[in-house]
Amino acid sequence: MRGRLVIAAGALAMALTPGAAWAAHGSGGQGSVSQGDPRPGEGVPGYELVTLPNANVPNFQRRTVYCPHGKKALGGGAEARGDTAILLGSFPTDDGTGWIGLGRQTATDNVGISVFVICADV
């Protein structure tokens, strides 16, 4: 789709994790999806997907989503939304506890950015 770029590092890991599921959340704040305790030899302990829903921010402004206390980021991704949106970055925080996304639009001074992080007990 023109003007829409999605980078989803770790999506394959999500698809291959037994018991993982997506859930819809209201428009406010961060949402999350937890897997619960895996059966012995299956899944990732403490697996959780945390999302930061789309919001318009000034071009080049970072949006960051964090894992719950005690968990680390295994992967993540970001999406830039808008007719001329360009995703400029999608990367982990320096301490490995979250994920950052940033972008811009060529025709306006703001861009829609959503970010997600895949967390686990590591």
Side-chain angles (χ1 to χ4, degrees):
M1 213 184 292
R2 184 175 178 213
R4 190 170 182 182
L5 177 61
V6 178
I7 295 180
L12 180 59
M14 169 75 173
L16 297 176
T17 303
W22 291 88
H25 296 278
S27 59
Q30 296 187 138
S32 67
V33 176
S34 295
Q35 177 187 340
D37 293 331
R39 287 176 261 163
E42 291 185 10
V44 177
Y47 175 90
E48 188 170 352
L49 176 66
V50 184
T51 61
L52 187 60
N54 184 62
N56 284 335
V57 295
N59 286 334
F60 305 102
Q61 180 176 314
R62 293 178 176 202
R63 294 200 71 214
T64 307
V65 62
Y66 291 96
C67 293
H69 182 73
K71 294 187 179 188
K72 294 285 187 173
L74 300 180
E79 177 182 23
R81 295 183 182 181
D83 290 338
T84 60
I86 301 168
L87 185 65
L88 300 175
S90 176
F91 47 91
T93 58
D94 288 340
D95 65 0
T97 63
W99 206 265
I100 300 168
L102 72 144
R104 72 176 179 96
Q105 286 204 72
T106 59
T108 66
D109 60 356
N110 63 58
V111 62
I113 298 289
S114 55
V115 187
F116 71 88
V117 62
I118 300 168
C119 306
D121 298 326
V122 291

